[in-house]
């Protein structure tokens, strides 16, 4: 069991989209908190770079899992879960962070192909992944945590956010359904977290005219990511949370 400085010691945490942006910072945060982090993402080199950052600090050795969530063959998800089980036996947490923005456009002119791609990665791939990771989370020796990544446009619809917004509504649905299913049948808690505007390449793509320096860095919201993944949040379940509110509340404690 971890202590205050390393609340995730001896825990195995999988982070999707761990090669860039919020996912990379979260992976490093979890490793600094003592976790063995499984780095999942599409681009092997980016995952290797996150791995090297963890190695350079002498933290628990991470593992690189190149995987494309656009995958439509369910067997590939089964193979992935089998590989994790073989090497680690179980999971204590999953940060479902990977996602794509797609096209900022009115629904009327949204491209069918882009719509399908966003839904495949942000919804269908996430479903297939978490479906096959649940048995590994059930094997956690203590509590386990699943964090889905939402957005403010996944909680109130907004013009021109198209498939991305709809996929984030679906993510909230996935969270709510899974949370009810895990309630009283497991020690797995399930929540969604909206990071809020954060300085990453996705933010630049969504707001090209904005000065990136005016947007907070991922580091600033890590207290929320750490809290939700660590045993301190064991009673938080089925909630749609905002990272900045959570950080403010944690600061006030
Ligand atoms: P980035 O674009 O920086 O990172 C997205 C990550 O998702 C990358 O690591 C990327 O890896 C991975 N990813 C994308 N497609 C796939 C795929 N097919 N298979 C596997 N991995 C994939 O975005 P952010 O860090 O900004 O976003 C992280 C999460 O936070 C997302 O869910 C986003 O919607 C959400 N969010 C972000 C906000 C912000 O202001 N930044 C605001 C609200 C929500 P690769 O490139 O190798 O595929």
């Amino acid at each position: 069991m971890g202590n205050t400085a390393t609340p995730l010691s001896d825990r195995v945490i999988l982070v999707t989209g761990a090669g860039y942006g919020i996912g990379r910072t979260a992976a490093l945060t979890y490793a600094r908190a003592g976790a063995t982090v499984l780095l999942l993402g599409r681009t092997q080199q980016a995952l290797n770079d996150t791995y090297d950052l963890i190695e350079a600090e002498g933290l628990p050795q991470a593992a690189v899992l190149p995987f494309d969530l656009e995958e439509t063959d369910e067997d590939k998800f089964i193979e992935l879960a089998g590989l994790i089980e073989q090497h680690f036996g179980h999971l204590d947490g999953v940060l479902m962070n990977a996602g794509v923005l797609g096209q900022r456009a009115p629904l009327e002119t949204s491209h069918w192909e882009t719509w399908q791609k966003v839904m495949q990665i942000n919804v269908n791939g996430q479903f297939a992944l978490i479906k096959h990771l649940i048995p590994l989370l059930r094997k956690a020796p203590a509590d386990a945590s699943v964090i889905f990544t939402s957005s403010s446009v996944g909680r109130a619809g907004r013009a021109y956010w198209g498939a991305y917004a709809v996929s984030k509504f679906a993510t909230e649905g996935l969270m709510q359904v899974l949370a009810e299913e895990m309630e009283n049948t497991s020690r797995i808690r399930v929540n969604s977290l909206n990071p809020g505007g954060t300085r990453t390449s996705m933010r630049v793509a969504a707001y090209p005219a904005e000065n990136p320096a005016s947007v907070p860095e991922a580091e600033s919201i890590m207290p929320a990511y750490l809290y939700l993944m660590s045993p301190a949040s064991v009673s938080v379940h089925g909630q749609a949370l905002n990272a900045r509110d959570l950080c403010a509340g944690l600061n006030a404690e």
Side-chain angles (χ1 to χ4, degrees):
M1 192 50 86
N3 60 33
T4 322
T6 54
L8 300 180
S9 59
D10 300 327
R11 294 196 171 215
V12 184
I13 308 291
L14 185 143
V15 176
T16 73
Y20 297 105
I22 295 169
R24 168 177 286 177
T25 307
L28 200 51
T29 299
Y30 294 157
R32 285 176 182 150
T36 297
V37 187
L38 313 190
L39 309 167
L40 186 147
R42 190 169 38 183
T43 310
Q44 166 114 36
Q45 186 54 54
L47 299 174
N48 290 347
D49 292 347
T50 305
Y51 177 97
D52 288 345
L53 289 174
I54 291 171
E55 280 290 284
E57 292 192 25
L59 302 169
Q61 189 173 35
V64 169
L65 296 175
F67 193 86
D68 187 347
L69 288 169
E70 200 174 348
E71 180 61 60
T72 54
D73 179 358
E74 191 180 7
D75 287 346
K76 294 288 191 314
F77 290 86
I78 295 168
E79 269 170 37
L80 177 72
L83 194 70
I84 296 168
E85 180 162 30
Q86 190 188 329
H87 289 275
F88 300 96
H90 73 278
L91 285 173
D92 301 284
V94 179
L95 173 61
M96 303 288 279
N97 160 83
V100 289
L101 178 67
Q103 190 191 11
R104 292 278 320 274
L107 290 178
E108 203 176 354
T109 58
S110 287
H111 297 136
W112 172 235
E113 292 77 14
T114 310
W115 180 279
Q116 285 180 309
K117 187 182 174 87
V118 171
M119 289 300 177
Q120 190 59 40
I121 295 169
N122 293 6
V123 183
N124 301 344
Q126 282 214 96
F127 157 69
L129 182 65
I130 200 63
K131 171 184 170 179
H132 293 293
L133 296 184
I134 291 167
L136 300 181
L137 288 158
R138 284 193 190 278
K139 290 186 176 173
D143 61 285
S145 176
V146 176
I147 306 171
F148 285 101
T149 304
S150 190
S151 162
S152 47
V153 298
R155 293 176 179 167
R158 205 182 299 164
Y160 317 130
W161 282 83
Y164 178 80
V166 175
S167 76
K168 292 298 186 182
F169 271 87
T171 300
E172 294 286 358
L174 205 49
M175 181 279 282
Q176 290 178 17
V177 172
L178 186 61
E180 271 212 14
E181 289 172 359
M182 294 299 108
E183 180 113 39
N184 304 325
T185 67
S186 76
R187 290 176 296 179
I188 306 168
R189 63 190 177 284
V190 185
N191 296 284
S192 70
L193 191 58
N194 168 20
T198 307
R199 195 187 311 169
T200 66
S201 54
M202 184 185 287
R203 176 76 189 187
V204 171
Y207 294 92
E210 182 179 70
N211 176 6
S214 68
V215 183
E217 290 180 296
E219 196 65 48
S220 67
I221 49 172
M222 286 303 121
Y225 280 75
L226 182 56
Y227 167 75
L228 268 190
M229 194 54 86
S230 66
S233 63
V234 76
S235 59
V236 181
H237 183 59
Q239 295 194 31
L241 300 157
N242 290 308
R244 283 190 214 302
D245 295 345
L246 207 47
C247 288
L250 292 169
N251 256 341
E253 272 176 15

